[in-house]
Amino acid sequence: RLLLAVSVRLGGMWGIIGISAWYYYIADKVFGSFEAQLLYLSLALAAVAGQVLGGLVSDKHGRGGVAALGMLAFGALLALASATRDLSVSLILAPSIGFTAFFWKSGLDTYILETVQPNQRGSAAGLMNTISQGGSLVAPSAVGYTIDITGLQSPIPFLTLAAGPLIASLIMLLTML
């Protein structure tokens, strides 16, 4: 169970690190510098709220389900972002993506640590972070490659970002709940 849960976290971190690395760049090229700053700021501020509220909700309503639904929403919003280059839509999507990007994280991290005995939680946290770094290392390169190959007007870069959280949420929904 631990390895499965930690692998699921990798998919979520794929999306988080990928969006952190590329969102501003994409928004700047598509909309302009001022708009990109506004979009990224709204994404980042909403991410803070998502982290806190996700933890609170997972304490009340079950960690696995909240994490799975939060990650599914994150992936779905990234996929939706692939379909628009409209600023007004992006002004709604950016904070929604930011919020859901971190909404799932507290619940899943706690879920992972609860799968092991209390005296193994430090090792489990180390394993969780080590495996998640795979997504953190590969996602920016994968998205950059898709931008090089398909361009910024293509939906492929955002769909590449969405793949990690969507696959992870599917795994969670099928196996962990």
Side-chain angles (χ1 to χ4, degrees):
R1 250 177 69 174
L2 174 63
L3 287 177
L4 181 63
V6 167
S7 298
V8 163
R9 187 178 189 269
L10 180 151
M13 293 305 293
W14 172 283
I16 287 175
I17 299 301
I19 201 74
S20 297
W22 285 105
Y23 191 79
Y24 182 85
Y25 174 81
I26 293 169
D28 180 54
K29 299 301 180 198
V30 172
F31 300 117
S33 181
F34 175 77
E35 292 82 358
Q37 292 171 38
L38 182 63
L39 290 166
Y40 199 80
L41 180 62
S42 69
L43 185 144
L45 290 172
V48 173
Q51 179 91 22
V52 172
L53 290 174
L56 293 170
V57 172
S58 75
D59 284 344
K60 301 259 187 252
H61 299 289
R63 301 187 201 299
V66 169
L69 293 175
M71 198 176 298
L72 178 63
F74 176 41
L77 287 167
L78 288 171
L80 185 61
S82 75
T84 187
R85 296 295 181 259
D86 182 282
L87 181 59
S88 60
V89 173
S90 295
L91 286 167
I92 296 167
L93 282 176
S96 301
I97 289 169
F99 184 85
T100 58
F102 283 89
F103 183 82
W104 61 268
K105 195 171 175 307
S106 295
L108 182 61
D109 288 355
T110 305
Y111 176 91
I112 290 168
L113 295 177
E114 289 174 345
T115 64
V116 298
Q117 298 298 318
N119 66 341
Q120 297 173 326
R121 290 190 176 147
S123 299
L127 179 67
M128 171 176 73
N129 288 317
T130 299
I131 291 177
S132 293
Q133 288 307 310
S136 300
L137 292 170
V138 176
S141 298
V143 174
Y145 180 75
T146 64
I147 290 170
D148 287 345
I149 298 300
T150 65
L152 288 172
Q153 296 303 322
S154 167
I156 302 299
F158 273 107
L159 291 174
T160 301
L161 287 169
L166 288 175
I167 292 168
S169 64
L170 179 64
I171 292 169
M172 286 182 75
L173 291 169
L174 293 175
T175 63
M176 294 170 57
L177 298 181

